[in-house]
Amino acid sequence: MAGSSVSVDLSQAMATAPVAAGDWLVVAPSLLTILGGSLCLMLRKNTDLQPKVGIGFLGVLVLANVALLLRVLDHGVITMVMGSWLPPFGIAFTVDTLGATLSLIGAIVAFCAGVYGAATVDSTGRRYGFYPFLLLMMTGVSGAFLTGDIFNLYVWFEVLLISSYGLLVLGNDRIQLDGAVKYGVLNLVGTNLFLIATGMLYGIFGTLNMADLAQKVASLEDPASGTLATVAALYFLAFAMKAAAFPVNFWLPASYHTPNIVVSAVFAGLLTKVGVYALIRVFVLILPASLGYLSDVISVVAIATLLTGALGALAQSEVRRLLGYVVIAGIGSMLAGVAVGTTLAISGAVFYAVHSIIVMTALYMMAGVMAMLGGSYDLRRLGGLYAKSAAYSAVFLVLASAVSGLPPFSGFWPKVMLVKAAFADDRAWLGAAILVSGFLTMLAMGRVWIFAFWRGGPEGTPDGKTASVTTVPADGAPQVSGGAVWVPLGILTALVIYIGVQPEWMLKLSTQGAGGIVEPLDYLRSVFGVPG
């Protein structure tokens, strides 16, 4: 009736309380990288200013993520819903310890890549988009770690993949185009499987908010029904492709050696870990019953990935290809944690992901230094690098020890956690595979040390002699040995040492992050506005 007023209670559908100023940090990483990428794009012709702007925004991104993690640790899980509409009506950004930790580590790695890129990316690469693509890739990475909606997880995957294609073909060489095709085809297949599974999930429950889905799946009489089993299998295959798990991992060693070395470094550090993160988030938070009956399958895949990666690394003579297989072996360790599924195992997987992001980025950067010093990425043409730079040799030895899981470096503790969790769950064969893979990785990295650093020169150099030849840096290798190389390598190597010597803070973050999705009560309360 005209003139009448109807009182409507919107408290069940909208967030009526004003957003706290600190909660805007939830969307700051995505907004900063979009703004920075857009500005670098507008400055594409000014190739001298572009690195300064890009590195500046990446530095601010690190600070924003530090502030976000501190706020999450102080206030608990934080949720911001778009347009104030609560789930299932609105789209949510939901940040817990797991997402905030990985977002921060990703930002640190991206900052280091931006600084390193100042030495490895020429004016043509800058003009055609290195810094815009890097920043926009971080938009996707940050969004994936911070979103609380599974469809938007798919959207952020697309953002980071589109940007990564641009980075992959930046030099426009034939080998880069070949690598981009292999990279693109498998990732497009995985993306389609992801989208199909998400569509099926929406058809079943009518919502795609992760917290809402977790509640509705838990309320089912049979949370491992046939339809959900199909959805779970599709998600596992999609994320396994993106994480480069066996047997859909052949795209990684066929493509990661093709771009500029700094692009390879940031890919090896971040992209596969986003796939592992998605696997943990979906299976532990939303589909825990499906994880229960898929655990044996995931265990087999983890063992095959561990051994394929380690044996593949032993078989390689090209340093970048070798490191690609080391990335794959690390994915196997993280999958082992997912297969076991206990809080300790998930904590180990999260800790290992943080370690792998840091150490693999640093190792690819170190490969660029090796090419600068020796003129090649081929072990047969390398040698005598210790005589050329004892400092770089020491850095490589630290990183090689860390990626092999040796104490006192960052890779030791997560492997201890994962092996302990596997044996506690009566999966001794899974724990044994982690140890065997670590031993084989140590042999592969030791082989690099002996051939590239310890022997006197390239293959054929007489024993006891040190070759004295003038070398020309390989394509994509750093052209200078100043701060643009030492700053990022120094930061990452220091983190590898610090996490190994003082692991308590990382143990706390990984345990809290894992506990928050194994027992997601605080996560659910944050999303639905229920006071803790």
Side-chain angles (χ1 to χ4, degrees):
M1 186 171 73
S4 66
S5 62
V6 179
S7 177
V8 179
D9 181 12
L10 294 176
S11 61
Q12 300 302 309
M14 297 188 72
T16 54
V19 177
D23 288 357
W24 286 98
L25 289 167
V26 172
V27 295
S30 297
L31 293 178
L32 281 170
T33 47
I34 290 173
L35 178 61
S38 301
L39 187 57
C40 284
L41 187 62
M42 290 187 285
L43 295 171
R44 64 188 180 278
K45 294 182 180 180
N46 192 334
T47 56
D48 292 328
L49 181 59
Q50 217 182 100
K52 299 174 184 177
V53 174
I55 293 169
F57 269 96
L58 290 168
V60 175
L61 176 65
V62 173
L63 296 177
N65 276 285
V66 168
L68 177 59
L69 177 58
L70 291 175
R71 184 162 182 83
V72 169
L73 293 175
D74 187 43
H75 290 76
V77 183
I78 303 173
T79 296
M80 175 180 281
V81 288
M82 302 301 103
S84 298
W85 289 100
L86 293 173
F89 309 106
I91 297 170
F93 276 77
T94 302
V95 187
D96 56 6
T97 304
L98 173 60
T101 299
L102 292 177
S103 185
L104 172 58
I105 298 299
I108 293 171
V109 162
F111 172 78
C112 291
V115 176
Y116 194 90
T120 61
V121 180
D122 60 19
S123 59
T124 301
R126 296 174 189 175
R127 182 183 176 89
Y128 287 101
F130 171 73
Y131 284 100
F133 281 133
L134 177 61
L135 281 157
L136 293 175
M137 190 190 78
M138 288 309 300
T139 302
V141 170
S142 300
F145 287 145
L146 304 179
T147 187
D149 183 278
I150 199 165
F151 180 75
N152 275 269
L153 178 62
Y154 161 79
V155 171
W156 293 122
F157 260 113
E158 288 299 285
V159 171
L160 72 90
L161 285 174
I162 291 170
S163 303
S164 66
Y165 294 147
L167 288 170
L168 199 58
V169 299
L170 200 58
N172 203 30
D173 293 334
R174 181 173 181 177
I175 189 174
Q176 292 175 323
L177 297 175
D178 178 68
V181 169
K182 295 170 182 175
Y183 174 85
V185 169
L186 261 292
N187 274 283
L188 286 173
V189 172
T191 295
N192 280 315
L193 292 173
F194 187 179
L195 188 58
I196 291 168
T198 302
M200 292 177 66
L201 202 61
Y202 184 75
I204 298 169
F205 296 107
T207 181
L208 291 173
N209 179 272
M210 294 181 186
D212 207 16
L213 284 168
Q215 285 188 327
K216 291 184 176 179
V217 171
S219 67
L220 293 177
E221 292 184 6
D222 181 13
S225 63
T227 306
L228 276 183
T230 302
V231 171
L234 287 171
Y235 273 132
F236 177 66
L237 182 56
F239 296 143
M241 284 184 175
K242 293 182 179 298
F246 182 88
V248 286
N249 55 5
F250 51 85
W251 61 267
L252 190 151
S255 60
Y256 272 25
H257 69 288
T258 61
N260 185 294
I261 193 64
V262 69
V263 175
S264 298
V266 76
F267 279 19
L270 284 176
L271 296 193
T272 51
K273 312 313 181 297
V274 181
V276 172
Y277 166 81
L279 191 66
I280 293 172
R281 181 69 73 184
V282 169
F283 277 89
V284 179
L285 176 65
I286 300 173
L287 302 171
S290 299
L291 177 60
Y293 70 78
L294 280 175
S295 61
D296 288 341
V297 174
I298 299 175
S299 295
V300 172
V301 171
I303 291 172
T305 306
L306 281 161
L307 298 181
T308 300
L311 291 171
L314 274 172
Q316 299 302 311
S317 294
E318 211 272 7
V319 175
R320 293 171 299 179
R321 285 181 179 270
L322 185 152
L323 292 178
Y325 281 101
V326 175
V327 172
I328 292 171
I331 296 300
S333 295
M334 289 173 256
L335 288 177
V338 176
V340 176
T342 60
T343 301
L344 176 61
I346 299 299
S347 300
V350 172
F351 197 150
Y352 198 96
V354 170
H355 148 77
S356 185
I357 289 171
I358 296 169
V359 78
M360 290 314 308
T361 304
L363 275 169
Y364 269 92
M365 290 181 178
M366 191 65 228
V369 172
M370 292 164 63
M372 174 189 71
L373 296 175
S376 176
Y377 291 104
D378 192 333
L379 288 176
R380 292 165 294 190
R381 299 179 181 178
L382 290 172
L385 300 188
Y386 182 86
K388 293 184 177 181
S389 177
Y392 280 129
S393 303
V395 169
F396 177 84
L397 199 57
V398 168
L399 298 175
S401 300
V403 82
S404 302
L406 298 178
F409 305 112
S410 60
F412 175 71
W413 300 106
K415 285 205 172 184
V416 169
M417 296 167 71
L418 291 168
V419 171
K420 182 179 179 180
F423 277 91
D425 199 49
D426 294 327
R427 297 175 188 263
W429 37 279
L430 186 56
I434 296 172
L435 295 174
V436 169
S437 177
F439 176 72
L440 295 175
T441 301
M442 181 182 67
L443 293 181
M445 299 307 294
R447 179 168 165 264
V448 175
W449 166 260
I450 291 171
F451 284 7
F453 291 90
W454 194 248
R455 71 179 177 183
E459 195 173 90
T461 302
D463 291 342
K465 300 291 185 180
T466 300
S468 179
V469 295
T470 302
T471 57
V472 178
D475 290 342
Q479 303 301 305
V480 293
S481 56
V485 174
W486 269 116
V487 167
L489 263 179
I491 291 172
L492 297 176
T493 306
L495 281 173
V496 165
I497 297 171
Y498 182 68
I499 292 173
V501 176
Q502 298 287 337
E504 291 85 3
W505 64 279
M506 194 61 241
L507 286 167
K508 179 180 177 182
L509 288 177
S510 60
T511 301
Q512 187 171 324
I517 56 173
V518 173
E519 298 292 340
L521 182 59
D522 290 339
Y523 189 94
L524 302 179
R525 284 174 170 169
S526 173
V527 172
F528 294 106
V530 180

